[in-house]
Amino acid sequence: SSRGNSHFAPYGFNQGGQNEIEQARINSILTKNIHDSNCGGAIIFEWIDEWFKLNWMVMDFEQPQDRTRYWHNKENPEQNFGVLAIENRTIIPDGQDEDWAKPAFFADKNIQADADPSYFYLKYKMKDFDFKNNNLHIAIDTYDEDKGEHSLSTLNKKSKRGIEFFLSFMKPDSAVILVDDEYSVFSDIYNDYVPIYSSKKNDDGRFVPQELIANRARETLLGEKFPQRLYDRSNLIHGKVTENSNADWFYSQNNGILEIRLAWHLLNISDPSSLQVLDDKPETPEIESSTLDKFYIYSYITNKQNETLYTIPEDEKSFSYIWEKWDNPKYEVREKVQYDSLKILFGKLKPIYSEEAKLDDNKFAVAKWFENRNGAIS
């Protein structure tokens, strides 16, 4: 039930990119197929979401790797197989703000931020905002004032601070998070294309989709060719988290509250628990990171021609935010949708017997374990 997808498979049974309802449906289909094939049984892997697990598509960007167990990467399928969710849901995007702490007296009442081991959160309170007439654009400088894109061509503006990520909310089914072209982590080791994963000062105005290779090009022994397939993780899903476990944002027209949650890897954060941002150094075999100072966030409400109507904060200055480090992440255990669906399915599946089947005269014995320790049965 990860947000990220590291492999496209037939019939949509992809490794990742499934919400919890889709995860339950697919695992039920697979389990029933195994039963109907007269197999001896099936094992659902795995019982809990395991934060320490690595996945080939994103593991290079989880730095330092000995701290992966301290945070939850929703772009990493290996960390999200669980029947039980292991998570910290600080904020539930649903158009309500009861789960947000009251802002300090000096904070702008129209914008707030928060963070936990899984996500970075933003909340906006917008006046007279309607997607029929308005867009919301967000520019984020994640680290180093000089590095990053200094030309916001979408808004026809120059930025003093270098911008690494640009978000556009045009309508509920059209929202994206783009990355400065110089900071994209797209790589293709099979064609010897591996860039330096570091932000660079530039002024070309180019922000690009966040694409990764999910399926590399292949040719079978019989000569059948399969083309390369890319996974574009830029599109942000609108919806309530209570209805879609992979929803990225929700806007309530009734009260003007817009809530966003971004998986850490969408911002090239390599370890949120120690404030590390991807900052590779050239001519070294390792992939390095740097400790970030603050996020600097510029927010623009525009008309459909992208002419700025007002900014948040209203003085056109940035809103800055930094979270506290942690070494002991808080988490809760929650039953995912498939917990109940598999429970019901297992209760219905009965062994299939055949009168023609002949049982082998198998034997087993309890083997002693090394030095008589508590062990296993063989």
Side-chain angles (χ1 to χ4, degrees), residues 304-332:
K304 287 302 181 182
Q305 290 72 46
N306 282 329
E307 298 168 333
T308 301
L309 302 177
Y310 63 94
T311 63
I312 299 177
E314 293 184 354
D315 57 9
E316 293 198 33
K317 294 181 179 179
S318 66
F319 167 79
S320 62
Y321 178 79
I322 191 63
W323 57 97
E324 294 183 1
K325 298 179 182 180
W326 64 80
D327 289 318
N328 186 20
K330 297 178 180 179
Y331 66 89
E332 296 178 350

Side-chain angles (χ1 to χ4, degrees), residues 137-141 148-167 180 202-207 297-300 306 308:
H137 298 293
I138 304 170
I140 304 179
D141 172 23
E149 177 61 64
H150 290 262
S151 177
L152 303 180
S153 56
T154 304
L155 298 170
N156 194 27
K157 291 179 180 290
K158 294 289 184 179
S159 174
K160 180 181 178 181
R161 302 192 68 95
I163 301 301
E164 276 75 36
F165 296 91
F166 193 80
L167 292 77
D180 176 31
N202 69 96
D203 197 26
D204 62 14
R206 293 189 66 236
F207 289 90
I297 301 164
Y298 300 84
S299 308
Y300 305 88
N306 282 329
T308 301

Side-chain angles (χ1 to χ4, degrees), residues 3 93-95 131 169 171-175 235-241 243-244 246-253 257-259:
R3 185 187 186 279
D94 56 4
F131 276 112
F169 298 81
K171 52 185 178 179
D173 61 352
S174 179
N235 296 317
L236 300 175
I237 300 171
H238 180 265
K240 293 183 178 181
V241 173
E243 298 172 359
N244 184 341
N246 280 337
D248 299 302
W249 67 288
F250 184 75
Y251 175 61
S252 171
Q253 185 73 53
I257 292 177
L258 187 146
E259 296 174 288

Side-chain angles (χ1 to χ4, degrees), residues 3-152:
R3 185 187 186 279
N5 170 25
S6 64
H7 193 80
F8 290 98
Y11 313 111
F13 292 7
N14 305 330
Q15 185 180 10
Q18 319 284 358
N19 64 38
E20 292 181 14
I21 294 175
E22 294 165 337
Q23 178 194 38
R25 178 183 65 84
I26 291 173
N27 281 341
S28 292
I29 291 173
L30 294 174
T31 302
K32 192 172 187 303
N33 285 348
I34 292 171
H35 172 269
D36 293 347
S37 299
N38 293 333
C39 290
I43 295 174
I44 300 295
F45 179 84
E46 54 201 359
W47 180 237
I48 64 172
D49 288 340
E50 297 177 336
W51 294 8
F52 68 90
K53 297 287 288 295
L54 301 177
N55 175 270
W56 68 272
M57 194 160 72
V58 297
M59 61 187 291
D60 288 345
F61 314 125
E62 298 172 331
Q63 302 292 342
Q65 287 196 343
D66 62 356
R67 293 188 63 88
T68 57
R69 63 187 183 276
Y70 294 131
W71 64 286
H72 185 198
N73 191 350
K74 289 294 292 183
E75 290 295 308
N76 183 339
E78 292 288 343
Q79 295 187 13
N80 296 275
F81 278 124
V83 175
L84 299 181
I86 305 297
E87 63 188 3
N88 184 321
R89 286 187 171 190
T90 298
I91 304 295
I92 306 295
D94 56 4
Q96 306 297 321
D97 59 0
E98 289 85 357
D99 46 0
W100 288 85
K102 292 184 178 180
F105 68 92
F106 53 83
D108 189 294
K109 63 181 181 180
N110 295 318
I111 183 172
Q112 279 184 260
D114 209 333
D116 64 29
S118 300
Y119 296 100
F120 172 68
Y121 302 91
L122 283 171
K123 185 194 79 173
Y124 289 89
K125 178 71 174 178
M126 298 185 293
K127 57 184 179 183
D128 303 323
F129 184 92
D130 192 324
F131 276 112
K132 295 178 181 178
N133 305 312
N134 306 122
N135 301 325
L136 168 65
H137 298 293
I138 304 170
I140 304 179
D141 172 23
T142 53
Y143 80 112
D144 197 317
E145 178 178 4
D146 196 43
K147 292 182 177 180
E149 177 61 64
H150 290 262
S151 177
L152 303 180

